[in-house]
Amino acid sequence: MSKQLEYGVIHTAATPQGREVSAQDIREWHTSPKPQGRGWKQVGYSDIIHFNGKVTNLVPYNDNDIVEPWEITNGVRGINSRARHVVLPGGLDADGNYKDTRTAAQRLALANYIRQSIVQHPNIKWGGHYQFDAKKPFCPGWNVPEWLRTLGVPEKNIYNP
């Protein structure tokens, strides 16, 4: 069943700072059978924003405000049919603790990605994974609403549970 797009969710791959992640890595982590992978039918993210700022699409989607069944990714249980998910490689320090490891290129690309999504979907609300899932209290490793405000994102487009 198709639903209205409501949310944009920012994730990190929870990999060590500087370790790049490919589309194939994400596919294997999410869709390979357990115990190697999660055994999902679909990946958890729509797009990856690489360290150099390049955006790689994982699951094609239309540009309208309706999330079709073929667009649904598995980023956060309970909202996937109403959300788009973007992931950034990195997110962990050398000791495996969550940390803001975004490069300047990732910051710029993510800011542009969010701004473009708001132009296309004026009612979308952006937030960090941790805001939607109490089991992920640190993902993506920074205060997403605060960062969005520094970009000038309108409050109506910032998720506040």
Side-chain angles (χ1 to χ4, degrees):
M1 178 195 286
S2 303
K3 294 196 176 177
Q4 184 78 26
L5 177 64
E6 294 179 51
Y7 307 111
V9 185
I10 304 166
H11 303 260
T12 64
T15 55
Q17 184 172 359
R19 178 179 168 208
E20 187 56 84
V21 173
S22 70
Q24 186 60 32
D25 291 333
I26 299 290
R27 289 185 203 297
E28 288 176 9
W29 296 344
H30 291 175
T31 63
S32 293
K34 292 179 179 181
Q36 294 83 12
R38 295 181 184 260
W40 295 345
K41 292 182 193 289
Q42 182 62 283
V43 297
Y45 317 116
S46 305
D47 297 297
I48 302 172
I49 299 179
H50 299 277
F51 292 123
N52 64 4
K54 178 184 175 204
V55 178
T56 299
N57 180 251
L58 292 168
V59 177
Y61 47 86
N62 60 38
D63 289 328
N64 66 26
D65 287 334
I66 303 300
V67 179
E68 303 293 345
W70 51 269
E71 297 177 275
I72 297 172
T73 57
N74 292 323
V76 178
R77 183 174 290 152
I79 66 163
N80 291 327
S81 63
R82 299 172 287 142
R84 186 150 305 139
H85 302 272
V86 61
V87 65
L88 286 75
L92 299 180
D93 65 16
D95 296 321
N97 299 308
Y98 275 98
K99 176 184 176 187
D100 183 358
T101 62
R102 292 173 293 167
T103 65
Q106 281 178 310
R107 288 174 192 264
L108 179 61
L110 181 58
N112 290 337
Y113 184 95
I114 290 168
R115 287 180 180 122
Q116 182 61 39
S117 77
I118 293 170
V119 168
Q120 289 179 313
H121 314 288
N123 295 315
I124 194 168
K125 293 184 185 324
W126 277 95
H129 187 180
Y130 69 93
Q131 294 178 270
F132 296 91
D133 183 352
K135 294 178 185 173
K136 300 289 183 179
F138 304 108
C139 182
W142 72 89
N143 183 319
V144 173
E146 182 179 290
W147 179 70
L148 293 170
R149 288 182 188 102
T150 69
L151 298 177
V153 170
E155 284 297 320
K156 76 173 199 154
N157 297 112
I158 299 174
Y159 180 69
N160 261 324

